[in-house]
Amino acid sequence: IDGGIICNNPAFYAYQMANSLNNKKKIRVLSLGTGEKVFNSFAAKTMSRIDFMSKADEFMMNIDTYTAHYWLKMNMPDSANTYLRLQTNPSVNAMDMVDKKSIDGLINDGEKLYAENQVALETLIKTIIDERYAPKAPAPAPAPAAASA
């Protein structure tokens, strides 16, 4: 799901759909952010209304991203092993640019994000593969019947 369609971080909605609508119990979420507007702190008491309103886009673009991330991190069962959020700040100005320089920039951004998070990504992927495809341990053999005297 593209975040711009529903929200800027649709991971929360994906989790809710898997959990509630599809009744899934083992849920893992890999949330890939494609960039965020950097939020600069400010002293509201010293700002004019115009200055304050100029910060609204930063707030509006980021609030659902951070809220979804925080909720999943705090509420997903075993979130340290079931939830991973990766965020990048792309080197290109627009995600919809298709010229060679922009595509190369996106590829470089993706490779950098992978390199920075390789261990966490591979751990999550290995866990999913092991749970789904690892041979199941055989059921224990029934205990021998006790001899009657």
Side-chain angles (χ1 to χ4, degrees):
I1 298 174
D2 176 20
I5 303 296
I6 297 174
C7 62
N8 287 323
N9 180 357
F12 172 75
Y13 294 101
Y15 173 79
Q16 290 299 329
M17 290 175 75
N19 189 36
S20 301
L21 299 177
N22 295 325
N23 200 28
K24 299 291 182 185
K25 299 302 174 202
K26 283 187 179 178
I27 301 172
R28 305 240 188 252
V29 175
L30 172 59
S31 176
L32 298 173
T34 57
E36 62 186 347
K37 187 161 180 58
V38 176
F39 189 77
N40 300 305
S41 63
F42 57 91
K45 291 181 180 182
T46 62
M47 295 180 74
S48 70
R49 287 185 179 166
I50 292 172
D51 290 338
F52 187 77
M53 292 305 294
S54 72
K55 298 288 186 183
D57 66 326
E58 293 177 33
F59 178 78
M60 297 299 290
M61 293 299 290
N62 289 335
I63 191 65
D64 66 339
T65 298
Y66 296 125
T67 302
H69 171 64
Y70 181 79
W71 192 95
L72 291 166
K73 189 175 172 182
M74 301 311 288
N75 293 291
M76 274 187 73
D78 192 25
S79 67
N81 296 308
T82 59
Y83 172 68
L84 180 59
R85 169 78 176 166
L86 305 180
Q87 180 66 271
T88 186
N89 286 313
S91 59
V92 296
N93 291 332
M95 297 297 287
D96 59 352
M97 300 296 292
V98 295
D99 59 277
K100 181 166 178 30
K101 181 179 177 184
S102 295
I103 298 297
D104 289 344
L106 290 172
I107 290 169
N108 289 335
D109 292 341
E111 289 172 348
K112 179 181 174 192
L113 189 63
Y114 174 75
E116 291 169 350
N117 298 281
Q118 183 175 357
V119 172
L121 275 166
E122 290 179 359
T123 300
L124 181 65
I125 292 166
K126 182 181 182 321
T127 301
I128 293 168
I129 291 170
D130 288 349
E131 284 178 359
R132 181 165 286 208
Y133 299 107
K136 304 287 186 245
S148 50

